[in-house]
Amino acid sequence: MESTHAVRITMLMNMIQRSKELIHTIRNLRISEISQMTISTSARLCIGVGYIPTLVFTLLNLITGPIDSSTESQAQAVIDMADYPSLVTELANTLDVRFEGMSTAEKETDVVGSLCNKMRQLARIYPHQVRNIIENALSQDARPDVSMGEVPPNDVAMAPTVWPSIYGDLDGIFPIDDIQWDSLLRS
């Protein structure tokens, strides 16, 4: 019998896959169909765009207990499978055809136009948030027992470098906390 932990991980992975399928379906629409997209479809798209990073972060928190090569490879597999920054950037680029000739203000008042802007922001910040989750797991794992003479490890050397931003290093550029991230997802 599967453990609750394994079932939860499978369910979360399936939800990521379903959200990606929706995004791929919208991304593959013809230009004429994109301009006819309904509010209902836009709402589902918003949900999919917001669910993926939330699901990835939940999975990372579930699988990043004591960090070892196994958990690192599991975390990397989740991140690779989600492919979030590329996925939402490509979707935003696809949906942008709907707004040719519109001003920035007009685009921002449109549900999908606003979504495109938010998707690009999420794509920029997402790798930073992933790195924070991994670094927090590493720092909790690597707490030395100073009373026993253990030397604190160099967290920078231990931190994974496999999740860089597609826009380059964001350290210091986007000092975003969980409240700001949640606000961006809600909007």
Side-chain angles (χ1 to χ4, degrees):
M1 185 167 143
E2 278 190 275
S3 73
T4 305
H5 186 72
V7 170
R8 187 174 298 142
I9 288 174
T10 301
M11 287 173 45
L12 293 170
M13 294 289 279
N14 285 337
M15 289 175 70
I16 291 172
Q17 193 58 41
R18 296 303 160 260
S19 295
K20 283 181 65 175
E21 288 171 6
L22 172 66
I23 290 169
H24 284 295
T25 299
I26 300 296
R27 207 178 76 212
N28 292 327
L29 290 174
R30 293 188 306 263
I31 293 173
S32 61
E33 292 172 327
I34 289 173
S35 63
Q36 302 296 322
M37 208 163 65
T38 65
I39 295 293
S40 175
T41 302
S42 298
R44 286 186 177 101
L45 189 58
C46 287
I47 291 167
V49 166
Y51 274 0
I52 293 173
T54 303
L55 295 166
V56 167
F57 299 160
T58 301
L59 277 164
L60 289 177
N61 285 321
L62 283 173
I63 62 176
T64 55
I67 299 291
D68 58 22
S69 61
S70 168
T71 56
E72 261 188 68
S73 64
Q74 288 175 342
Q76 185 64 54
V78 168
I79 292 163
D80 290 346
M81 191 269 294
D83 191 29
Y84 189 71
S86 298
L87 184 71
V88 296
T89 300
E90 290 171 12
L91 177 62
N93 292 341
T94 299
L95 295 176
D96 267 345
V97 300
R98 181 173 170 172
F99 306 105
E100 289 179 11
M102 285 179 122
S103 70
T104 303
E106 290 172 321
K107 184 177 174 181
E108 192 59 37
T109 60
D110 184 274
V111 171
V112 177
S114 177
L115 175 62
C116 288
N117 290 336
K118 299 293 189 243
M119 284 189 293
R120 286 190 173 90
Q121 290 174 2
L122 289 168
R124 288 185 69 118
I125 299 168
Y126 171 84
H128 183 74
Q129 295 298 101
V130 167
R131 197 167 37 231
N132 285 343
I133 290 170
I134 300 301
E135 287 173 355
N136 285 339
L138 285 171
S139 67
Q140 289 176 8
D141 252 7
R143 289 191 184 133
D145 186 352
V146 182
S147 67
M148 299 295 288
E150 291 181 17
V151 178
N154 180 355
D155 285 342
V156 174
M158 292 176 61
T161 57
V162 292
W163 302 295
S165 167
I166 61 172
Y167 297 99
D169 190 14
L170 298 177
D171 289 335
I173 296 174
F174 286 102
I176 188 164
D177 61 24
D178 291 337
I179 294 169
Q180 291 168 316
W181 173 260
D182 290 342
S183 173
L184 182 58
L185 276 178
R186 276 193 309 274
S187 66

